[in-house]
Amino acid sequence: MSHRELEDMLGKGWRKPPFVSNPKLRWSLILGFVAYLVAAFMTIEVDWGRVYVGLDRGWAFILAFTSPDFTSRASDIWDGLLESIVMTVAASVVGILISIPIGLGAARNIAPLPIYLVCRGIVAVSRALQEIIVAILLVAIFGFGPLAGFLTLSFATIGFLSKLLAEDIEAMDKVQAEAIKASGARWLQWINYGVQPQVMPRLVGLSMYRIDINFRESAILGLVGAGGIGATLNTAFDRYEYDTAAAILILIIGIVMSLEYLSGIIRAKVQ
Amino acid sequence: MLRLQKLTKTYRTGDQALKEIDLEVGKGQVLALIGPSGAGKSTLIRCVNRLVQPTSGAVWLEDTDLTKLGSGALRRARREMGMIFQEYALVERLTVMENVLSGRLGYVGFWRSFLRWYPQSDIDEAFRLLDRVGLLHMADKRADELSGGQRQRVGICRALIQDPKLLLVDEPTASLDPKTSRQIMRLITELCRERRLAAIINIHDVALAQMFVPRVVGLRFGEIVYDGLPTGLTPEKLTDIYGEEDWEATIKKVEDEDEVEVEAAE
Amino acid sequence: MPVLEKENAQTWRRRTTGENLFRWFGWLIGVAIFVVCWQRISEATTWFFVWDAPRIAGDIWTRATPPRWEYITQLGRPIWDTLNIATLGTLIAICLAVPVAFMAARNTTPSVLFIRPVALLVIVSSRSINSLIWALLLIAIIGPGVFAGVIAIAIRSIGFCAKLLYEAIEEIDHTQVEAISATGASRWQVMAYGIVPQILPAFAGIAVFRWDINIRESTVLGLVGAGGIGLQLSASLNVLAWPQVSLILLVILAAVMISEWVSAKVRGAII
C-alpha cells in the first residue's frame, strides 16, 4: 500500500465504525428510543407504598416454597391436575392428527394453490388468536368445563404444528422426493416414501414440544373457566394460601421438567 | 530464551501427548516443529502459553517458570508470547482493526478495551503493522469479509502488536493454498528477522519448513526424534519421524518446485 | 433380521414379528389412553349446551357485529400500556437473562457443580409457569396494575431468553476465545472480545423474537388485572358488551400482526 496513506493515518485517532452509518438516522434512533423509555416510565403508575407492603407477602410466598402444602387441598389439586393432563393428552392427539394434513396442505411445494391458501388461512387464524382469548369465546359458546379447554388447545396445536411442519416440508431435500416420484409412485406413496422419512424426526420433536406447551397452557385455561388446574391455583391465590399455590407450582414445574426430559430421550431416539 | 524441561502432558483420557520434552530456543531463533498428526505439536506450543496445562515439567521463558505462575502473572507472561492459529481464529464479527488491537488487551484495562479507547501509540502501531502486511485499506472491514490469506495476515498483526519476544505459530498454512502458504511463511520469517523474534512454527508441510526455517525439530509420539538443520532431513530421518514412505521422490520434487518458485518470485 | 425364511422362500418384512406385536401393543395402549381421556372430558361436559352451541355462536355473532367503532377512542391508553408492558418487560428480562445464561452455559459457568444447576433451575421455573400465573401471583403481592404486568412478563421471559442464549453460548467457536486468551486478556476482556461478538446476533434475534411474543401475552394480562388492553376486554365481557369485545379483539389482532411484522423486519436486518 502507499506510504502516503499510512503517513496520513498515523497520529489520527481510530473509532469503531458505528453500526448505523448515517449519523442523523443513528442519533434519531437513539433519541427516539430514550424518549420512548422516558415516556413509558412516566406513564407507569407504581404505588410504592403498596409494593413495599407487598414485599412481606412476597417473602412469605418464597418461604412457602420451602414448606409446600400438598395435603389440605389434596383432592382439589388432584382433580385439577388430572383434568389438565387429560386435556393435554386429548388435545395433543387430536391437534397433531389434524395438523398433519393441514401442514401438508400448507407446504407450497406439494400442495396446489387453492388448498395451500385455505390451509395457510387456517394456520394464520389459529396463530393470531391467543389461547386464552379462544378459550373465552369457546367457554361462552360451549359452557364451562374441559371441553372448551380441549378445543382451545387442539386449535392452538393446529396453528403451531402445521406451520412448522409446512416450513420443514418446504425446506426438504427435493432430490430424494423426486427419486421416489420417478419410480412411478402415487401421491400417497410419494408422501409416504419421499416426504415422510425426511420430516418425521422433526415432526416427532415438535409434537413433543407442543405437548409440553399444551400442558403449560392447560394450567391457565382454568382462569377463564375452561377446566384444569388453573381454577384451583386462582382460588389459592385469592385466599392467600401461598403454601397450596407453591405446591401447585412445584407440581407444574416438576411435570414440565419431566416432559422435557422425556422429549429429550424420544428425540434422541428418532434421530 | 525459551527452555522446556522434561515437559510432559497426559490427557485425562490417558493419552500421553508429550513425553519429557527438553528443548531450547535461543533469542531470535526460528524453529519449525514437524511431525505426523497427533504427534503432540499443537499440544507442545499450547503448553508453552498454557492454553493447555502441562502435567509436569517446566517452561522457562527467560528467568520465569511459566508453569508456576498464578493467573495474573500468567496473563502478563502471555503478553510476551504472540500466537498465530491454524484457522486464523479471528473474532469474525469484529473489524480488522479491532482484531489487531485485541492483541493489546493484556496491556489496557477492561473499560478502555470495552469502549475501544486504545492509546494513540497502539493505534499507530496497528496502522503500521497493517500497512506492513498490506491490509491498511481493509482496516474497517469485518474480519469475515476477508480471504484466508488476508485473515492470516491480520492474525499475524494481532500477534505482533503484543510486542512479543516469542511467536507461537500453530499450522499457519494448513487452510491456505500453496502460493498463499509460501507468502505467509515468508512474511512470518521476515518479520521474525526484522524484529529479532524467536518463533516455534508447527507445520506439517516438510518442504515449506525446509524452505524457510533454519532449524527443524521432528516430533513423533510425543518425543523429539530429530533436531537439526533442514538439510539434514534425509529420507531415513523422515522415516523416523513419519514412518515408512518413499521420501526420495517427495523431497526431490518439492525442491525442484521451490527453485522455480523462488526464481519466479524474483 | 427383517428377511425371513418362510416355506423355503425368503420374504422381506420391515420389522420382525416380535417388533410388530410390540408396536401394535403400543398403539393399543395409546388409543386406550386417549379413549379414557376423552371419556373424562365428556363426563365433565354438559352436552345439552354443546348441541345448543351453534345457536349460541350465531347469537353472539349477531350481537358482536358490527363492532362499536367509536369505542376505539377509549382504547388509546390501554394500547400504550400494553406496548409498555411488553417492551419494558422484555428489556428487564434480557438484562437479567444475560448473567443467567452465562452461568448456565457449560463453557462459561463459574462452577459446573454449584452455579450451573441453580441457573438451570431458574430457567426451568421461569419457563414452566405462564405469564398469566406470574401476573396472578404478583397481583396478590404488589397489587393490580401495569407494574405487576411488566414484572410478570419480565419473569416469564427470563427463562426463555436465557435458555436460547445459553444454547448460543455453548455453540460458539472456541478457537476465537482461545486466541483472545493467548494475548494475555483478562477474564472479562475474553468475554467482551471473544464471546460477546459471537453471540450478539443471536442475542438481538432472541430479544426481538421474545418482544413479539410478549406483545401477544401482554394483551391478555389485563384479564387477571395486570393492566393493558385485557382490562377493557375483561370489563366488556363482564357486562356482555359484545360489540366492544369484537372491536377489542380486532385491535389485538392488528397489534399482533404489526408486532410480528416489525419483529420479522428487525431480525432480517440484523442477521
Side-chain angles (χ1 to χ4, degrees), chain A residues 36 43 54 57 127 216 260, chain C residues 77 84 127 140 216 260:
Chain A
Y36 165 75
T43 51
R57 256 179 284 173
R127 279 172 49 77
R216 277 185 262 168
E260 251 174 33
Chain C
R77 180 63 197 265
N84 289 343
R127 264 162 46 79
R216 288 159 189 261
E260 194 158 27

Side-chain angles (χ1 to χ4, degrees), chain B residues 24-25 108 116 128 151 173 211 252:
Chain B
E24 211 170 328
V25 184
V108 299
R116 274 55 171 173
R128 272 193 211 101
R151 288 187 203 196
T173 62
M211 199 155 57
K252 207 171 196 142

